[in-house]
Amino acid sequence: SNWGPCVNILAPGTNIKSYWLTNVLPKSGTSMAAPHVAAVAAMVLETNPSLQPDELKAVILEGAVQDKLFNNLNGSPNLLLQVV
């Protein structure tokens, strides 16, 4: 899901430039936000390759910026992904 209590963190996912066939188009949604989280996870694991999944999650959540989002979060945590 892209919102609600099952979400752990929010990431940029609106108007992300995406290649589609021969065009670059702005896309929005979970499929645009997920790669940002995956990239941060990869950067953390590059310096800490022995982290277990729960430890990786904790590092990412601890590095998030709190209380910067002001829209209706529909039960999502007010945590914005940040490169840690």
Side-chain angles (χ1 to χ4, degrees), residues 23-77:
N23 298 313
V24 177
L25 302 170
K27 299 280 188 175
S28 298
T30 305
S31 59
M32 296 293 109
H36 288 92
V37 180
V40 170
M43 288 188 283
V44 171
L45 288 172
E46 182 178 26
T47 57
N48 300 288
S50 63
L51 287 178
Q52 296 299 306
D54 58 333
E55 297 169 319
L56 175 61
K57 177 182 173 182
V59 169
I60 292 171
L61 293 177
E62 288 168 11
V65 179
Q66 296 183 1
D67 301 322
K68 294 294 181 181
L69 304 168
F70 300 103
N71 300 18
N72 180 358
L73 300 175
N74 297 309
S76 301

